[in-house]
Every structure is written in structure tokens, then in C-alpha cells.
Amino acid sequence: MSPITGPMSPVTRSESEPDDPAPAATRSSHTDDGTGGDGTGPGSGPGPGPGSGPGSGHHGTGRGIDSDSDNDNAGVGALLGELSRVAGLPLERGETLPSAVYTSPAFHRLERERIFRGEWLCAGHVDQVASPGDYLRVDLPGDPLVVTRDEDGELHALSRVCRHRFMDVLPPEAAPERGSLKRLTCPYHTWTYKLNGEYAGQLHGAPLMNRVEFDRAACRLPRRRLEVWQGLIMVNADPSAEPLAPQLAGLAERLAPYRLADLAVAYTARWDGVPANWKVAVENGAESYHHLGTHAGTLEPVLPGRDTVLDDCEGRWFTAFMPFAPAAAEALGEDAVRALSDPAALIPGLGEAELSGMLIAGVFPQLVMAFLPTGVTCFRWLPTGPGTHDALATVFVPAAARESEQYGEFLRMSRAQLELVQGEDLIAVRGVQRGLATDPAPSGGRFSHLERPLWQFQRYLASRLTEAVPSDGPPTPGPAA
């Protein structure tokens, strides 16, 4: 079976590419049809992903919980109680969560505190900060960061908030998303910070401050925990968080043949302000059940959702494999097959199993990866409000592929297919969130066996959100950023 390209293109997006003439600040474009870049989710990259947009309508059950009581601690407590109950059900009796879990401002605040300010989140890939002096601007929920590589090759994750008057030291309006520098200089009052070793983040210079009492040695940008896992840069705002690698040992073994750490970034696409709760996108990206409907004419003929084989996983990660359809090459067309016939397009050393389809792997809370013989696409979803999120998709290819004569054609087809699938997902994403906003009655449905990762996701959410919840008071805050 020939390897295939795949979809991943937004209706409204901004993109950055390493092969641009020079790194540039994130570029945004907006359509005038009112869509505003609403599509999101996987289904892209070097090959067809699991689709993007909200899956199969599995979110909306009101269960009688009134979302108007968001400011009432009892309302949040009721949602958490229902989350705990549903998460405790076996897969064959699994239920959808209350709609208010996807719409409640109070529940959203709890997620921000207990998940996004105390969990390992993907910030990028080592290829994006490959040389000493390189930096990558990263925006996580409520936590603007910069990842840097110092002169000794060590990586650091630092807050971008200046310690003087809280200016963003790398504002997107004026600074490229990626670049190289020796020190961080705040553009407001030119306070400067070191980037090397143990001094990373420490104040280096503050002009005209010699007339005031000022302890320069104690002034430094806050650091974040950082681990490199499979080449992905993972950061955590909680200094006491458990190391990530031991939690993902089984997943690392499953992904080893794809050599993710050795791949190169082809491009990153992003969609800002997608009008759907972040969990809608994660759940969609985690299942292939919706290929039957949403992508019946695009992904299903190439990667039939019905043929998905799900691994029996527990905990915070999952994997599933989708074999290529027997007629996949015919469905793709001669141009796609020709572009992918170049040996440089393939990840070196893959076995027959890896060459026969697509592996989907997810790490909760918000990372889903699509692994194909031609490369990998990593999807990330970052909440910006109870009913909105930003979505990012980074496409990786073998380093040799970027030197191939077929590379330009590969990128063209990847983006074109992406555009097609995202148009389909745009309809679904907006439709699911509109349905959730009506506070629908319980659906009475059950999960398909293809939605096992959603059942796992519920259990993950319960483990992060329902610990130490007072019965008669506000939720206990999680670790501060």
C-alpha cells in the first residue's frame, strides 16, 4: 500500500513554516462569511487523520442540571458528582456527560486551575528550537511562555511576563513566533534577562534603576518544569508534578518505530477562537466513529472508521490503529500516489504493520497524534473560554523529505486535503456546541466501541477534577501558574 497524504486545513487559519524566508509573527486571515476559523480537530498532515470537529453527537445530556447556577458552588458540585458517577461506569454502560460540563463558566474555571495549571502540556518540538539561542513563543491557557535553548544546548521554559510592569517580552504584534537571540529584552522599558543555564530568566540589565532600592539578583522570570518526551517539549506550571516519562512508558514503546524525535517540522497551522468547548475537539480527535458520517466521502474511503482496532489502554493515554482501505490508492488518485512514491517521503525503518495504516495516539488532556508512514501530525487544543478554544496542528516529516523534488507537491496536496476535511468538520463543531447550549435532556445513548477513548477521557477528567472537593464550599484551587 502506498503511503498517503492527508487533510488538515482550516477555513480560517494562520500558519508558520520553517521554509519561509524568515520566521514571522503568526499570520491571521479571516473569511467574510462569518465562520471566523471555526473548524478544528485532527484529520491532517502527512496523511488522513481522525477527522476534526466534534464527532458523533455524543456530548449533550442535560441530566437536569441547571447551567444558570454556574456561580453557585452547589452547581459545580453537582456537575462534579455526575462526572464522578459517569466516569465510574464500565465501558459497556458508559454515558455522555452533562451538557453544562461543556458550557459552564464555573466548570471552565475549575478546569483551568486543576488541569491546565498543573498538568503536562505540549509546547512544541525540539526541531523548532534546534540551535543554541533559538526561541519559540508559546501561549498556554493563562500562561504566556518562551522556550529557549541555551549555549550548552539545554532547554528552558520561562514566563514571558516582565518582572517590571508585566509587559509581554515577546509580543506577537512585534516579535516573530520563532527566532534566535542572546538575551530576552522587554520592548517596554528594555529590561533584559539572561538565557543561559542556571541563570536563565535572571535579570541582566534594568536601565535608570540606580536611584531606587532594587535587588536585581532576586528578580527573574519564573521557570516552568520542562521535559522532552519523544522529541515533544512538555511543560508544567506545577513544580511538584510527577515526572511525565514514567507515566507514558507504554506509549513510548508503541510509538518507537516512528522516530518522532528525529522528524522535522513541515508547518504549523492554527485556528483561533473556534466556537466550541475544547473537550468537544479532543473527543472528536480521539475517535473514528464519525468517519462514517462527517467524512463519508473523504476519510472513510481511505481509512474506514469501522475497521479501527482500539488497544486496551488505561490511564492518561490511548492508541488505536486504522488500516488503509484496499482501494485507498484509487480513492486518493494518481497524483497523490506519485508524490508519495519517493522513498524520501517515508519514515525510515518502518515495518509492514506501520506501513499498512494510521496509528492514532492521545495523551490527555489535549494532545492527539496521527502517525502515518509519511509523517506525523500533532494536534493541540487550548481553551480560551467555556465555549471557545484555539487549535494547533503541527505536521512532521522525515528530514530527507524536505530535500525531495516532490516535497512541494506533497505540501500542496496536504493542505488541499486539509481544507476539504476542515470544511466538513466546521459544520460539525459548530453544530455540537449549538446543541450543548440548549441544555438538552439526557440522550439515553451509549458509546460505540469505537468511542472507548472518550470513556477513558471521562475517567481522566474525574481523576483531575474531583479530588478534595468540599461538599459545602468552593472548589479547592489547583496549583497556581
Side-chain angles (χ1 to χ4, degrees), residues 143-164:
D143 199 14
L145 303 176
V146 57
V147 175
T148 64
R149 188 179 291 276
D150 67 21
E151 293 177 355
D152 296 323
E154 295 296 319
L155 291 172
H156 306 278
L158 304 171
S159 170
R160 294 205 319 267
V161 180
C162 182
R163 305 308 293 163
H164 177 216

Side-chain angles (χ1 to χ4, degrees), residues 111-146:
E111 291 177 334
R112 287 272 297 246
E113 291 296 324
R114 294 196 176 175
I115 295 177
F116 288 93
R117 293 186 180 178
E119 187 56 281
W120 290 101
L121 304 175
C122 181
H125 187 270
V126 292
D127 184 56
Q128 296 172 298
V129 280
S131 302
D134 285 357
Y135 75 86
L136 174 68
R137 185 176 60 232
V138 178
D139 288 290
L140 299 179
D143 199 14
L145 303 176
V146 57

